[in-house]
Amino acid sequence: MHYKIRQHASGPIFFLYFFLLQMNFLNFYPLSFYQDNPFNYSGDLLATGDKGGRVVIFQREQENKSRPHSRGEYNVYSTFQSHEPEFDYLKSLEIEEKINKIRWLPQQNAAHFLLSTNDKTIKLWKISERDKRAEGYNLKDEDGRLRDPFRITALRVPILKPMDLMVEASPRRIFANAHTYHINSISVNSDHETYLSADDLRINLWHLEITDRSFNIVDIKPANMEELTEVITAAEFHPHQCNVFVYSSSKGTIRLCDMRSSALCDRHSKFFEEPEDPSSRSFFSEIISSISDVKFSHSGRYMMTRDYLSVKVWDLNMESRPVETHQVHEYLRSKLCSLYENDCIFDKFECCWNGSDSAIMTGSYNNFFRMFDRDTRRDVTLEASRESSKPRASLKPRKVCTGGKRKKDEISVDSLDFNKKILHTAWHPADNVIAVAATNNLYIFQDKIN
């Protein structure tokens, strides 16, 4: 199984809206991914995790010598079982093996390292290649059986012989027993030595070399659980400042903390919250204001948050209101009652930046995903559907009709399929290549350059 990726010549990148309208359907794989950004730092590897605890890594082929400006396709690089189902006998609780998050570590040598987590346990995996094997051992035969030492009459120097490429995934560290509640975030620090993990009420700081202890840096658990008013929904380290991190809450607020101020960061350095319009307040206001994802921009100047109906961009120097607000599916505001009844209102959508921070992307229902150009304020709705697109065909923008009369190629808001949803999206760190997970399918799209 592999992805056919359209090869393209290098050249000036067209302005984003043109790129959005010419998004090219590539292929799909029956897998969902559950992590912040499945692309590694170079974008050559793409990691996905599924509900069965399996991690599948795809590798982008190198440039073709006959076509020096073209890039190859993504092929399956490695598949391994990251987590197994467990049972907590003290709490009589079954711990599912499904992968919640995957985070790549910056590459330091030929091997690759990634962190994967389910609800309770975080694991550090080493992904390495082996294309040579040693032959001519003194103490064992070629089939691996040990030789009788008394029959060894001469010393041999083992030699390395080429073999078929083998990709090995080996667990190097297991970080367990530090979270009472389900882990919703992991984030690697820019110092490349530590990372954080967050659950509903606590954030812990880990050292990558130490597995038996972590430091609690945020604890919002009240003395009386009946006084609990909010939970932590997402957390992330600043991309450049190793002492700064943010976490969002179910109340729609974001707190920026500085670890230099105190060991326990219960007191935030900055508090980001948009004032609520009293005229638009309803029963669902607090639910739809809950932030499901927070992401720093690559530059570190901005951060993006996703609530149920919108994506907001915040300037770290202005706490009072976001500098940008992009409506994702405002047409669902009239459907909040039915969305509450079928539990869709509690869906947690992720969001992501493109490599230059000029565009953002997030998912919606009916396998739709939305892209926003921050400079021109233009946006587009695209659909990840194998049935409605042929491989290598350009994706056509979709529109949702809210009124009674529907134009051609529009879809009525009443006919949207809420069982088809794109919760996870990712953008290649350098190229206009995106990956979206729709239900149980992983799609990859690439800009179409003539």
Side-chain angles (χ1 to χ4, degrees), residues 255-282:
R255 293 171 173 85
L256 184 142
C257 301
D258 190 336
M259 292 189 293
R260 295 175 299 183
S261 59
S262 63
L264 189 62
C265 300
D266 287 349
R267 293 186 177 181
H268 49 267
S269 299
K270 292 186 177 182
F271 183 77
F272 300 85
E273 183 180 23
E274 185 176 22
E276 184 184 7
D277 184 3
S279 62
S280 62
R281 180 163 181 81
S282 69

Side-chain angles (χ1 to χ4, degrees), residues 194-292:
T194 57
Y195 74 92
L196 65 78
S197 60
D199 63 24
D200 290 343
L201 299 180
R202 294 187 177 98
I203 301 177
N204 293 332
L205 180 68
W206 299 83
H207 194 284
L208 287 166
E209 300 294 332
I210 302 173
T211 61
D212 58 351
R213 65 181 181 273
S214 61
F215 298 95
N216 181 227
I217 54 177
V218 172
D219 188 349
I220 66 170
K221 183 178 180 179
N224 183 1
M225 285 296 285
E226 294 182 357
E227 299 174 358
L228 182 66
T229 59
E230 62 180 336
V231 295
I232 298 169
T233 57
E236 186 178 59
F237 267 121
H238 191 279
H240 309 304
Q241 301 174 23
C242 63
N243 53 289
V244 173
F245 68 94
V246 295
Y247 68 93
S248 58
S249 82
S250 57
K251 276 191 170 182
T253 62
I254 310 102
R255 293 171 173 85
L256 184 142
C257 301
D258 190 336
M259 292 189 293
R260 295 175 299 183
S261 59
S262 63
L264 189 62
C265 300
D266 287 349
R267 293 186 177 181
H268 49 267
S269 299
K270 292 186 177 182
F271 183 77
F272 300 85
E273 183 180 23
E274 185 176 22
E276 184 184 7
D277 184 3
S279 62
S280 62
R281 180 163 181 81
S282 69
F283 171 78
F284 305 105
S285 294
E286 188 168 333
I287 301 176
I288 64 175
S289 65
S290 175
I291 294 174
S292 57

